Amino acid sequence: MSSQLSFSGISHRFGAQEVLTNISLEAPEGSCVALLGASGSGKSTLLRIAAGLERPSAGRVLMDGEDVSEVNAEKRETALVFQQPLLFPHLSVVDNVAFSSRMAGHSRAAAHRHACEYLELVQLAGYARRMPGQLSGGQEQRVALARALARQPRILLLDEPFSSLDLPLREDMYELLETIREQLRPTIVLVTHDRREASVLAESIAVLDHGEILQHGGVAQLHHQPASRAVNRILGGLNEVPGVVRGGAHHSPLGRVPVPADTAEGPALLVPRQESLCLTAVEGAQALGRVTQVRASGAHSLVRVALDRGPEQDQEQAAVAVEVTGSPELRPGDITGVALQNPSGWTVTR
Amino acid sequence: MLTAAPAVILVLLVLGAALIMVGLQSLGLMPVFGEPQLSLNAWADSTSLLESAGVSVYIATLSTVLSAGLGLLIAVYALTAGRGGRLVAAVSAATIPIPHLVASGAIGLLLADAGFLARLFGMPEGFPQLVATQWWTAVILEFAWKESAFVALVILGSISRSAMALSETASTLGASAWQRFCHVILPLARLPLVVSGLVVFVYTLGSYESPWLLGPLAPEPLSVRAVRLFGSTQLSARPEAMATALTSVVIAVLAIAVGLLLVRRSGDRS
Amino acid sequence: MSLSRSEVSRRRRPRWRVRTVLPLLLGLALLIWIMLPLVPVLLWSAAGAWRAPDVLPSSWTADAALSLAEPEVLMAGVRSLGLGLSVAVTATVLGGLAAFGLRGPTPGGSPASTRLIGFVMLTPLAVPPFALVMGSNVLLLGARAPSFLGVLIVLTVTALPYTTYMFVTALASYEDRFEAVARTLGASPAQVVLKVRLGLLMPAIARAGFLAFLVGWSDYITTVLIGGGQFITLPLLLGSAASSTGGEQLTAALSLAMIVPPVVLLILLARRGARGRTSS
């Protein structure tokens, strides 16, 4: 049932304001693509365009290569789940899930039978006769998911579907989505502002900012090889160490760090993730610095270190954040060594 | 926009035409019989017209003040008194569908000389006359009985969601029950109170049944005077009825203008 | 130790009493205020003989209740019901359409014209009903409209501000994304209107319809002036009973006949509303 979805040169404006600029993006059949961005980045608008609820000002939406830009939402065979469950309050749970079958003209009994399969899938078969008001938030969102899946959509569109749930419930929903993917293999486009959710659920992430796609790539690639400072920040990277690329290596207060051979020479920022840095002993350290802050967050601690200037005179003052397991025996003012865990690094210039 | 057309056209047509007719007839330009002739005769008996206007405004003002006070009391009690409060709110809301005509009949049975209330007290010598008095006591009480339930419903509808949480917050900040009433509930209730008070004033100003059944024969409020003149067989009565009706429209519009000013001011403050 | 505790409790007891007794008294006073006028109606409706100083009737009879079953009273009841339902249908439909027209950005509608229309829909509130009736009477006579139609038109105008306002508030909190979801689930535009919009607005439709029904059901002055005494409804019978002396029993019985239907309707609506929210 699932299809490939692609956006080709989509632009969209509300009045004078351009909210999407020349978006091209592909979601392969059976994959899960996350659109990651802050609120106002245009990601929900892109999803509404995919669902056919909004006509783009320019560009085309393709399903399996076929242009569906002119196809209305009710004919498009996509299903959309919002952050709010939006269960029809005047219909029971099973009537909500049976809604698409009823719209397609099936009998009440057949629609209910069909709906019950999907209620079973989301483990709410016993709640069929209840009214939406009698469910908890997590249950309502499960019903909303079942209602969307019962449409048997070629593309499943999820707009921040788990954002209003608390953390343990969200983990349950991740499990459920995993099960659904195994059983039904739908193509999923997920809109989220939560980089962790995007990383857990999707194979690839498209980073959206001010209506433009900054980078689209695999989860690891986006975390460790961001295309720009903005992508690094949106994915939670805290470090931007200024320096110069020369002779296949980046030179900075962190020392000489090898970079990929095709990296252009000149000034560049080294962007090691806080998770891939470590603290070392002072003797023989690659770089030295003074601890400015230690902040505990659960099983990890974030240590901020103001790096000493390196041997080269023109180097700027730099600071890095290092994530360590447990709580280190360090206080602000202590001197520590800092090193990269990987042999090579990644730089950005923008 | 287009879907509003039937309703808007109906209102404009009926209301506009009615007001024009009232105006023309009050000036003698559309007599029932005879030639149209511009005349201010209908407005000539200004003492009687002004007296009627005074009676109407007196009844409407006292009824509004009483309804607003009692309605606020019912609403506050409903919000703060737990189960008893919910009972009072439910019983009060259940009286809303009772027509004013029925309420006037009921108040008559209750307050008349030798009515139920007098009998409850054993019909003492000095029991005050309440129906058909020069002070319009029974009329005002009927309006206050019906409209206080309306005022309470409007206040509860607009503040019951926010009032309890904000009131509890205020109590954690050290506000006493009285302070919570003055500084939380009252400011929240001001706007619905003014709006519902305005509706009550305009309604009681134009209401006919209660003053007709429970008021004295003279002086008449505008509604009773207009209806009596309208039904009269005298030729001169029709323009006078229309002049009376127009007077009530003018007073209602003035009251609404003043009320909207109050609404805007209390809107600015909150 | 034990002495001081009893002292404390002795000091606290009067305060405890004031704090619980005062609200109780206030609640009781409010309940009496709300219920008292209905007591003589109930008593008179079943009273046989009830002479002046007696607090309760000395004999009981079903005569007044039976008089409600007379053909002219029954016919008046049918006319009142018909009038109430007719006003409910026309004012609810027109008010709902008007509220949709007043709603948010529509092609060709500026905020100023939307405000103007909203203002026009509220103007009937400013005109006392008797003035509206007197003005429109000449026109309705001129147009030779049947008196039922005339009464219906005037009462629809009277009820429109209430129904329109009900729908405007309901639409203000209306969630458009319900319709978006329905469309992505394959509902055609007509199905969206019938299955989603009507379903979601059903509480507002019920409230607006109830208010408009009350306008028709309880009207006195419009029916008297336009109907010219030919179109007899329950309020007209009640009006003549209440204004004549010695008609207490009939007044009380007719009053009950006018109170019971709308109150039953209100309870039904409230129960339906509660069921919609909590169970199937």
Side-chain angles (χ1 to χ4, degrees), chain A residues 37-337:
Chain A
S39 57
S41 60
K43 53 196 197 313
S44 291
T45 308
L46 189 58
L47 214 58
R48 290 178 66 86
I49 287 171
L53 293 168
E54 204 89 54
R55 285 280 149 83
S57 310
R60 294 180 304 158
V61 181
L62 305 159
M63 278 162 78
D64 290 334
E66 183 194 341
D67 188 350
V68 294
S69 306
E70 296 300 315
V71 176
N72 284 335
E74 62 265 28
K75 301 272 180 221
R76 203 176 272 198
E77 295 180 71
T78 57
L80 182 52
V81 177
F82 287 102
Q83 180 180 343
Q84 289 81 19
L86 296 173
L87 299 181
F88 301 121
H90 57 291
L91 300 179
S92 68
V93 165
V94 67
D95 282 326
N96 261 284
V97 180
F99 187 85
S100 58
S101 305
R102 295 287 288 152
M103 292 301 111
H106 294 292
S107 73
R108 208 179 146 86
H112 277 198
R113 266 199 306 280
H114 180 74
C116 283
E117 288 174 32
Y118 287 88
L119 276 176
E120 254 163 54
L121 181 69
V122 299
Q123 295 137 28
L124 286 175
Y127 291 76
R129 298 275 151 213
R130 297 218 189 174
M131 294 306 279
Q134 296 173 295
L135 301 181
S136 70
Q139 289 168 339
E140 282 191 63
Q141 199 57 290
R142 277 166 187 260
V143 175
L145 206 53
R147 180 175 66 177
L149 290 168
R151 160 115 225 246
Q152 296 176 310
R154 290 159 74 186
I155 314 283
L156 180 61
L157 305 167
L158 306 175
D159 190 354
E160 305 260 9
F162 312 130
S163 300
S164 56
L165 304 179
D166 54 28
L167 222 50
L169 273 179
R170 226 182 284 180
E171 298 292 341
D172 290 349
M173 293 299 284
Y174 296 163
E175 289 285 320
L176 176 63
L177 206 59
E178 205 55 47
T179 318
I180 288 167
R181 292 195 64 190
E182 277 165 22
Q183 293 193 13
L184 304 175
R185 302 210 54 72
T187 306
I188 299 177
V189 179
L190 165 79
V191 155
T192 179
H193 68 271
D194 180 353
R195 63 191 151 88
R196 205 182 77 79
E197 184 168 282
S199 311
V200 170
L201 295 176
E203 280 98 43
S204 72
I205 300 177
V207 178
L208 214 61
D209 193 35
H210 294 101
E212 287 183 80
I213 290 189
L214 300 182
Q215 190 177 3
H216 180 202
V219 174
Q221 189 195 355
L222 264 93
H223 278 88
H224 296 286
Q225 300 177 348
S228 63
R229 291 164 75 176
V231 173
N232 185 44
R233 285 178 186 173
I234 289 171
L235 281 144
L238 296 172
N239 294 324
E240 294 164 8
V241 182
V244 179
V245 174
R246 195 184 323 120
H250 184 261
H251 299 262
S252 74
L254 268 182
R256 180 181 175 283
V257 179
V259 291
D262 55 353
T263 310
E265 303 226 322
L269 297 165
L270 189 71
V271 285
R273 287 196 68 86
Q274 56 274 23
E275 297 92 346
S276 50
L277 286 175
C278 59
L279 299 179
T280 64
V282 175
E283 289 85 38
Q286 193 178 5
L288 283 178
R290 189 180 298 272
V291 174
T292 55
Q293 190 192 35
V294 179
R295 208 177 63 205
S297 68
H300 295 266
S301 297
L302 201 65
V303 181
R304 291 189 185 269
V305 181
L307 295 173
D308 290 350
R309 271 168 218 258
E312 290 165 59
Q313 290 304 309
D314 56 342
Q315 277 172 0
E316 297 171 50
Q317 181 75 41
V320 288
V322 183
E323 191 174 294
V324 298
T325 348
S327 47
E329 304 262 311
L330 285 170
R331 292 154 176 274
D334 290 351
I335 305 292
T336 178

Side-chain angles (χ1 to χ4, degrees), chain B residues 209-230:
Chain B
E209 294 93 326
S210 175
W212 167 60
L213 281 174
L214 300 173
L217 286 174
E220 296 167 306
L222 292 168
S223 57
V224 178
R225 181 179 201 261
V227 172
R228 176 180 57 79
L229 290 168
F230 188 80

Side-chain angles (χ1 to χ4, degrees), chain B residues 151-199:
Chain B
V151 170
L153 192 74
V154 172
I155 294 177
L156 283 174
S158 68
I159 74 167
S160 61
R161 274 184 213 160
S162 54
M164 276 334 283
L166 289 173
S167 183
E168 280 168 4
T169 311
S171 70
T172 65
L173 295 171
S176 67
W178 179 246
Q179 286 171 320
R180 294 201 294 275
F181 173 74
C182 291
H183 296 281
V184 181
I185 308 262
L186 209 53
L188 281 174
R190 179 182 283 139
L191 189 64
L193 191 64
V194 171
V195 169
S196 58
L198 184 58
V199 173

